[in-house]
Amino acid sequence: MHILAAFDKFKDSMSAQTACEVALSGVAKALSEPIELSHAPLTDGGEGFCSILTSAAAGKMETHTVSGPLGETVEAPIGWIQLEDLSTAAKAILAKSRGRLAIIEMASVAGLEQVPKAKRNPNNCSSYGVGELIKIASYEGASAILLGIGGSATSDLGIGALEALGLRFGKRSRSTPAQWSEIEFITGKIELEYPPILIACDVDNPLLGKQGAAYVYGPQKGLADHELAAFDLQAARLASMICNYFNQSQALKNSPGSGAAGGIGFGLKAALNAKFVAGFELVYTWLDLGEKVAKADLVLTGEGKFDSSSLSGKGPFALASAAHAANKPCILLAGKVDSGAARKLGDQFPLCRSYSITPEDCPLPKALAQAPENLQRATIRALLNRVR
């Protein structure tokens, strides 16, 4: 029997790699029959994006000292792989087949988890360190740069990153949205010739308005409800200035994905003609998940929370879909499983079962601390129930 564990991260608790290992330890305890175990940690472009993709392509990691979201010093990775080592499908998505690819993870340098909860507010956070990593990758000879933008703390339109690349917004050399009202002009230029920048993204929000960066993602990053309208208004003003400065159409603000990660894709598209690529489709082909599912007799997957937003086709839901297409049973384990999402999952994929790993009435801090133990126990129970 061949069992595949392909988990996404359990936010604030377990990395994707750890979740896979914990689940497989539960498998080993639950089943006495001969089993073959394999794992494939998942990533949505956030935490783990760089290490997971670099490791899967037998690349190398290096770390650099750059600026964190609050201006502090952080150590952030760049992964390096040879494009020739990727599958034909992955190279087709990247539209690049030769040379060195630099992999950058925004969460490692401007991530929400790097900001203490009491200090979370995108008014005070900058994407400057992302620009520093892009510059370093270019100096080191990248043929292309792949940027994962999940898990960001910022909502600065990529202005911080552009400042690191040579632009100046107003009188300050560095700014955050807290100073946007002071900015009346843009100066400077991007001096280096940068390689193609590819942004892994599955979000299609525009930059502005009720479906844009501030209204949809601002609250989870620390924006209060009463701040949203004013923040969005200033973002619109700065975005118009950026479009004018780079002779871009104002319609760029409405392009799908411009509102992802606080608008960094918008800024990089305006200044450097960065392009979006389908995030999970790229990860799926990069990790050969279709082939791995085809070889498995049972698929285990999951994430920290499985709810209606999980049904959009990313991560564990995509694994359940692939298992269904291959007529393979699937068990989905999450810290919390929304009952409505569970019903839709079961209706759509009859061979898939979902389970919450957290005991009822367990407070969140305790649930996070005990998640590895809870995942192992839940894996054992799910497998024994299946065997009976």
Side-chain angles (χ1 to χ4, degrees):
M1 186 178 187
H2 183 175
I3 297 179
L4 168 67
F7 284 80
D8 207 334
K9 66 183 179 298
F10 283 59
K11 193 171 183 179
D12 296 322
S13 180
M14 288 184 287
S15 67
Q17 174 75 24
T18 298
C20 289
E21 292 170 354
V22 168
L24 290 180
S25 70
V27 172
K29 289 187 176 185
L31 302 179
S32 58
E33 62 189 281
I35 49 177
E36 180 183 352
L37 306 176
S38 61
H39 71 279
L42 303 179
T43 174
D44 61 358
E47 298 87 351
F49 181 79
C50 182
S51 61
I52 289 171
L53 295 192
T54 303
S55 175
K60 68 173 185 177
M61 299 271 289
E62 59 185 34
T63 58
H64 296 274
T65 303
V66 291
S67 300
L70 298 176
E72 76 283 26
T73 297
V74 298
E75 296 293 318
I78 297 178
W80 291 95
I81 66 106
Q82 291 296 135
L83 282 157
E84 292 87 341
D85 294 337
L86 295 180
S87 68
T88 300
K91 286 185 283 192
I93 294 172
L94 294 171
K96 194 80 176 173
S97 60
R98 300 184 63 81
R100 299 175 76 214
L101 178 70
I103 304 172
I104 296 173
E105 174 187 309
M106 189 173 180
S108 71
V109 65
L112 189 62
E113 292 190 0
Q114 293 176 309
V115 182
K117 289 185 178 180
K119 294 184 177 181
R120 289 180 181 177
N121 190 317
N123 275 300
N124 305 317
C125 295
S126 169
S127 60
Y128 194 93
V130 178
E132 290 179 301
L133 289 178
I134 290 172
K135 182 182 285 189
I136 291 167
S138 299
Y139 272 126
E140 294 192 355
S143 302
I145 296 171
L146 176 62
L147 173 63
I149 59 174
S152 68
T154 58
S155 193
D156 71 347
L157 315 184
I159 286 173
L162 297 181
E163 288 173 331
L165 300 181
L167 294 187
R168 191 179 180 108
F169 288 78
K171 298 178 181 180
R172 298 173 183 266
S173 58
R174 295 195 190 189
S175 61
T176 66
Q179 290 95 40
W180 277 356
S181 63
E182 304 171 11
I183 297 174
E184 298 297 338
F185 58 86
I186 304 173
T187 59
K189 63 180 180 178
I190 295 174
E191 296 177 351
L192 288 179
E193 186 171 335
Y194 285 90
I197 297 175
L198 308 165
I199 301 173
C201 178
D202 289 308
V203 168
D204 59 4
N205 301 75
L207 182 64
L208 305 168
K210 292 298 178 69
Q211 298 303 313
Y215 278 95
V216 175
Y217 302 106
Q220 71 190 45
K221 298 179 182 185
L223 271 184
D225 289 346
H226 70 271
E227 296 178 292
L228 296 176
F231 194 100
D232 193 61
L233 191 63
Q234 283 291 347
R237 186 177 72 86
L238 269 294
S240 292
M241 290 175 62
I242 290 170
C243 288
N244 290 336
Y245 194 75
F246 290 104
N247 296 315
Q248 297 281 1
S249 167
Q250 295 291 330
L252 184 63
K253 296 177 289 189
N254 300 320
S255 62
S258 291
I264 191 168
F266 162 81
L268 293 177
K269 284 183 72 174
L272 295 171
N273 198 32
K275 300 185 184 304
F276 288 118
V277 297
F280 192 77
E281 182 184 355
L282 175 63
V283 171
Y284 192 88
T285 57
W286 190 300
L287 301 181
D288 293 324
L289 287 174
E291 182 178 341
K292 288 179 169 66
V293 169
K295 290 180 179 178
D297 297 300
L298 172 65
V299 176
L300 303 178
T301 189
E303 59 188 330
K305 184 178 182 181
F306 188 83
D307 57 18
S308 58
S309 68
S310 304
L311 302 174
S312 59
K314 308 183 195 83
F317 181 85
L319 259 292
S321 178
H324 173 76
N327 199 33
K328 302 295 178 69
C330 176
I331 296 174
L332 187 147
L333 301 151
K336 182 178 180 181
V337 176
D338 175 77
S339 58
R343 282 193 301 274
K344 290 180 180 179
L345 182 73
D347 291 343
Q348 206 165 342
F349 309 132
L351 291 179
C352 183
R353 297 288 181 270
S354 57
Y355 301 89
S356 292
I357 69 170
T358 307
E360 288 188 22
D361 301 321
C362 181
L364 180 60
K366 185 176 180 181
L368 294 174
Q370 295 182 349
E373 180 183 343
N374 290 336
L375 176 58
Q376 185 185 77
R377 282 202 298 256
T379 302
I380 293 171
R381 287 196 303 270
L383 288 172
L384 292 179
N385 287 336
R386 181 175 174 273
V387 170
R388 290 192 186 106

